[in-house]
Amino acid sequence: MPGVPYVRGWTQARHSAGLLASQLTDLGLESDFPGLAADVNVFGDGLVRLGTIRPEAAQLLAELIAVGLAAEVADATATACSSDPHQQASAA
């Protein structure tokens, strides 16, 4: 589409796809996401395409996201409790 700035969206998508690819490689899962690629839509918005993946790969990705979110919540709760003087007093 003429006049749509695709480069910015594609650059953001390429960066994000690269970060995801790096994490998947670190976990030994790069072969489960062979279609991982950066793309843009007709409005120039960046997209990260996972491609067609096996159901087991989708389930594993969902589990990894859930574990990561649980760890973030636990960390945020621990940080909040350690900085709240009322929590420290009641724990003692």
Side-chain angles (χ1 to χ4, degrees), residues 24 27 29 33 57-70:
L24 292 170
L27 294 167
L29 300 173
F33 296 86
Q59 182 177 352
L60 180 58
L61 184 58
E63 290 170 2
L64 289 169
I65 291 169
V67 167
L69 289 173

Side-chain angles (χ1 to χ4, degrees), residues 26-91:
D26 289 349
L27 294 167
L29 300 173
E30 67 277 4
S31 64
D32 288 314
F33 296 86
L36 180 63
D39 201 353
V40 291
N41 63 17
V42 296
F43 304 107
D45 300 321
L47 303 172
V48 175
R49 298 191 183 275
L50 297 179
T52 303
I53 59 174
R54 297 176 305 113
E56 297 84 5
Q59 182 177 352
L60 180 58
L61 184 58
E63 290 170 2
L64 289 169
I65 291 169
V67 167
L69 289 173
E72 273 191 39
V73 168
D75 186 49
T77 302
T79 301
C81 288
S82 68
S83 64
D84 184 356
H86 294 97
Q87 289 283 11
Q88 291 173 353
S90 63

Side-chain angles (χ1 to χ4, degrees), residues 10-23:
W10 186 82
T11 301
Q12 290 173 330
R14 188 179 74 167
H15 176 73
S16 297
L19 289 174
L20 181 56
S22 176
Q23 292 297 313

